[in-house]
Amino acid sequence: MAPPSSFNQSSKTVCVMDASGRLGSALVQRLLHRGYTVHAAVQNHGEILMQSLEGVAGDHKKLRVFHSDHLDYHSIMDALKGCSGLFYCFEPPPDQPTYDELMAEEEVRAAHNVLEACAQTESIDKVVFTSSVTAVIWRDARNSMLSDFDETHWSDINLCRKFKLWHALAKTLAEKTAWALAMDRGVNMVSINGGLLMGSDLTITNPYLKGAAEMYEDGVFVTVDLRLIVDAHVCVFEDTSAYGRYLCFNQVITSNKDALKLAHMLLPPSKSSPPPSLEDTKVYQQRISNNKLNKLMVGF
């Protein structure tokens, strides 16, 4: 998995914010392996980050850990100092892990602060902004669309509010805020709109899963493995031709078999076995495309 020959990451210092969660900590580990010096900005003590780095010999000398609050502009600036790039993924504060309308507002303010800080940091060349597929797929008349969902689509904010799809609302508003600031301030930004991140810590309370039945029936219920989404972040950062938004997923749940498999992961056995149905063999048509990312990552 060699980087482009013209790209010399050994001289690069990048920031990962927030490095407290699974995606952020995995990004830190991958970037260290690839020769980067990493500023890991964490909200808490970064336990997940430190666990992920156990056994990574020699990389700690290229790692600096910063305590950074999304709503504290100065702490963001401190973490970005001297960095040529930022990988930004919002993690809810440890004292409020659930999504509601207030969390959506906080995520928007955080995105605004971070992009403004990047605009004021002269060394920043590129921002990779982690968003979500939920910022793409929620809109009226989804079934009547002539084309598949792709990175050109946006979720409808009023629909998200109406049905209390707080995760989708937060991701849509935060990403739109980031894009508006990036364009206004001349910040080079690329976004990764990931599917449901799979892993042993996934539970039924994950806010992405609000409206899961509708996503399933619409053919847009997508999941992504940690390795793929980490690779996608690194690829769009290192590839100078990367631009705009990229949908990132490696499975579309369209069959009852796949849906049951996911249900077994999320629920105890007594609750994950629905009664037999005549539609058990039904397969819904996939209505979402990640061709743009696939083309970019062919040689990665």
Side-chain angles (χ1 to χ4, degrees):
M1 194 170 66
S5 57
S6 60
F7 194 90
N8 178 18
Q9 67 267 62
S10 64
S11 62
K12 290 282 187 178
T13 299
V14 295
C15 178
V16 176
M17 181 185 299
D18 184 342
S20 304
R22 277 185 70 227
L23 174 56
S25 60
L27 266 170
V28 170
Q29 185 172 357
R30 185 65 55 84
L31 291 164
L32 289 171
H33 272 303
R34 290 176 78 81
Y36 291 88
T37 297
V38 180
H39 289 191
V42 299
Q43 293 183 79
N44 48 37
H45 298 298
E47 288 85 357
I48 295 177
L49 171 63
M50 293 310 161
Q51 288 170 11
S52 74
L53 293 175
E54 287 181 3
V56 184
D59 283 333
H60 287 74
K61 64 179 181 292
K62 286 196 167 189
L63 174 67
R64 292 184 65 194
V65 179
F66 293 77
H67 178 79
S68 185
D69 183 339
H70 292 129
L71 305 182
D72 179 355
Y73 184 77
H74 295 293
S75 72
I76 296 170
M77 291 290 289
D78 287 342
L80 292 178
K81 189 174 182 180
C83 292
S84 63
L86 168 68
F87 295 85
Y88 174 72
C89 42
F90 179 86
E91 289 286 337
D95 59 347
Q96 190 190 356
T98 58
Y99 267 81
D100 55 18
E101 195 163 14
L102 289 175
M103 178 62 74
E105 293 174 5
E106 182 167 330
E107 187 159 345
V108 170
R109 289 199 304 274
H112 183 281
N113 283 346
V114 169
L115 265 294
E116 187 63 58
C118 287
Q120 300 299 327
T121 304
E122 292 183 1
S123 59
I124 292 288
D125 293 326
K126 196 171 195 176
V127 175
V128 181
F129 187 94
T130 308
S131 186
S132 173
V133 168
T134 60
V136 172
I137 58 174
W138 290 109
R139 50 193 293 168
D140 281 322
R142 299 185 301 280
N143 292 324
S144 63
M145 285 179 57
L146 297 177
S147 62
D148 289 346
F149 282 94
D150 60 25
E151 60 282 340
T152 64
H153 295 101
W154 286 92
S155 291
D156 183 285
I157 291 167
N158 292 326
L159 184 139
C160 292
R161 281 203 174 96
K162 179 180 178 182
F163 293 103
K164 299 182 178 180
L165 298 163
W166 303 128
H167 186 271
L169 179 69
K171 297 303 177 184
T172 305
L173 288 174
E175 191 190 344
K176 283 192 169 188
T177 296
W179 276 116
L181 259 170
M183 288 186 282
D184 184 60
R185 303 287 195 273
V187 176
N188 178 18
M189 188 178 106
V190 181
S191 72
I192 296 290
N193 294 70
L196 176 66
L197 182 59
M198 302 301 285
S200 57
D201 60 340
L202 185 64
T203 68
I204 194 67
T205 60
N206 189 296
Y208 186 108
L209 290 166
K210 181 74 180 288
E214 289 79 7
M215 286 189 274
Y216 171 52
E217 292 172 4
D218 290 344
V220 296
F221 191 175
V222 293
T223 66
V224 65
D225 293 332
L226 183 62
R227 182 180 178 85
L228 173 64
I229 198 167
V230 168
D231 282 350
H233 278 74
V234 177
C235 178
V236 300
F237 181 72
E238 294 184 357
D239 194 321
T240 55
S241 69
Y243 70 96
R245 309 167 85 204
Y246 289 87
L247 293 186
C248 181
F249 57 87
N250 52 352
Q251 184 181 20
V252 188
I253 296 178
T254 55
S255 69
N256 186 263
K257 178 183 177 182
D258 291 337
L260 282 176
K261 186 177 178 181
L262 180 61
H264 283 304
M265 285 181 58
L266 298 172
L267 296 166
S270 60
K271 295 183 179 180
S272 62
S273 301
S277 165
L278 294 175
E279 292 189 336
D280 274 359
T281 58
K282 184 171 184 178
V283 177
Y284 292 96
Q285 180 183 352
Q286 177 177 335
R287 295 289 311 282
I288 189 167
S289 168
N290 60 348
N291 288 340
K292 184 183 175 187
L293 179 65
N294 288 342
K295 288 177 183 176
L296 188 76
M297 294 187 69
V298 164
F300 187 76

